Amino acid sequence: MNIALVGYGKMGKIIGEIAEKKGHEIVARLNETPTVENLNDPDVVIEFSNPEVAFENIKVCLENQIPVVCGTTGWLERKSEIEEIAVQNNTAFLYGSNFSLGVNLFFALNEKLATLMSDFPEYQVQMEEIHHTQKKDAPSGTAITLAEGIIKNDSRFGSWKLEETKETELGIFAVREDEVPGTHSIFYRSEVDEIEIKHTAFNRNGFAVGAVIAAEWIIGKTGNFSMQDVLFKK
Ligand SMILES: NC(=O)C1=CN([C@@H]2O[C@H](COP(=O)(O)OP(=O)(O)OC[C@H]3O[C@@H](n4cnc5c(N)ncnc54)[C@H](OP(=O)(O)O)[C@@H]3O)[C@@H](O)[C@H]2O)C=CC1
Ligand SMILES: O=C(O)C1=N[C@H](C(=O)O)C[C@H](O)C1
């Protein structure tokens, strides 16, 4: 499979190494807006850039009928526009706020726990995410997916916000520390005890492996997908 990497930073480089080890060819490594010329005729684009440029990057690829796997976070207010462009161009788009298997299992666990805890209002819910200091967006895309999973399953909450939980707003603390690859926790605290679920990434390899699996999976498909489709819908 020929892969174009749009965004060749920390993630792009690891994804490239893993894809080559699996026998794929990297036909472009871009730190600029993609064009038909610089993409070099890939089967699929893997996009890990930054929140300011992701929308335009994805749009260009989809308009040229190239399927896109995107891990860039912080641009999601325009996701529905991108999904429409994918359909209009009869191609495929897959977004994952987190491509690791562990986090996708954690997403499912989070929803199950939220359903259970929704009957016990004596437990206050609080979320926390910790990431490296170069991260541009807050809260993390993963934390937003987790918050959406709680809001969907616990009618106490209608929205999320950065900081402490207050009334119907589920709180997320976003902490920035040195080189932390990504740690997400959800706390349920009562007067007498606390339940905590936590996912800790030890490095970026899990994200990169998942992105390559998603790129292999998307070939030949049309429509809009998530990592849940790749991992759990057989
Ligand atoms: N979904 C997931 O599983 C994961 C998602 N992420 C997300 O992926 C994104 C990238 O993360 P990371 O690799 O750590 O970030 P980096 O900052 O290390 O890499 C981003 C790269 O994008 C490049 N870039 C700048 N402008 C453009 C442009 N117009 N088109 C294409 N590339 C451009 C930058 O180049 P230059 O340095 O020259 O500006 C840089 O090399 C972030 O949004 C992060 O949150 C990260 C890990 C996992
Ligand atoms: O920027 C990062 O590094 C990460 N970004 C993703 C996010 O925003 O959730 C995934 C992972 O946590 C690492």
Side-chain angles (χ1 to χ4, degrees):
M1 181 169 88
N2 289 344
I3 302 174
L5 298 172
V6 175
Y8 194 62
K10 290 184 283 301
M11 281 303 299
K13 286 179 184 144
I14 303 172
I15 291 168
E17 282 168 22
I18 288 169
E20 283 183 330
K21 275 192 195 136
K22 292 184 88 173
H24 301 303
E25 190 173 343
I26 308 302
V27 294
R29 295 171 172 82
L30 305 179
N31 278 328
E32 61 186 325
T33 310
T35 63
V36 175
E37 291 73 34
N38 68 18
L39 280 169
N40 202 16
D41 198 22
D43 298 311
V44 61
V45 160
I46 303 182
E47 210 276 354
F48 279 72
S49 61
N50 67 53
E52 290 79 38
V53 300
F55 176 85
E56 188 57 31
N57 287 352
I58 300 160
K59 183 168 174 278
V60 168
C61 299
L62 295 177
E63 284 176 346
N64 286 286
Q65 298 189 306
I66 303 165
V68 177
V69 167
C70 170
T72 306
T73 52
W75 64 276
L76 270 269
E77 63 286 349
R78 302 195 73 182
K79 183 162 166 262
S80 58
E81 285 176 68
I82 283 294
E83 290 176 340
E84 213 173 301
I85 295 169
V87 171
Q88 278 165 1
N89 288 278
N90 204 31
T91 186
F93 175 67
L94 188 151
Y95 169 74
S97 61
N98 196 306
F99 281 94
S100 78
L101 173 61
V103 161
N104 282 277
L105 292 168
F106 190 66
F107 287 154
L109 174 67
N110 170 55
E111 292 208 23
K112 283 199 164 62
L113 184 60
T115 305
L116 180 69
M117 298 307 285
S118 65
D119 285 335
F120 299 97
E122 59 269 44
Y123 283 89
Q124 286 294 313
V125 194
Q126 179 66 45
M127 297 179 54
E128 180 188 76
E129 57 98 337
I130 312 175
H131 282 85
H132 54 93
T133 50
Q134 301 117 58
K135 185 159 180 60
K136 294 196 165 134
D137 52 321
S140 67
T142 306
I144 294 173
T145 306
L146 288 164
E148 287 168 348
I150 295 171
I151 291 163
K152 192 168 81 180
N153 291 290
D154 187 337
S155 58
R156 279 182 290 173
F157 300 109
S159 57
W160 58 263
K161 64 164 184 171
L162 276 169
E163 293 304 328
E164 206 168 332
T165 298
K166 215 168 185 193
E167 293 161 6
T168 61
E169 291 180 309
L170 173 61
I172 308 171
F173 294 130
V175 180
R176 297 292 171 257
E177 265 177 25
D178 304 327
E179 299 296 323
V180 177
T183 302
H184 294 86
S185 304
I186 299 139
F187 305 92
Y188 290 85
R189 193 184 180 93
S190 77
E191 292 284 315
V192 293
D193 58 7
E194 183 174 71
I195 300 168
E196 176 185 352
I197 57 168
K198 180 177 185 178
H199 179 275
T200 306
F202 298 149
N203 52 52
R204 293 183 172 82
N205 290 2
F207 312 139
V209 167
V212 175
I213 290 171
E216 292 166 344
W217 181 92
I218 206 172
I219 299 293
K221 296 195 170 58
T222 53
N224 292 292
F225 303 99
S226 74
M227 201 53 190
Q228 304 281 310
D229 296 315
V230 179
L231 294 172
F232 306 127
K233 292 187 187 155
K234 303 286 176 202

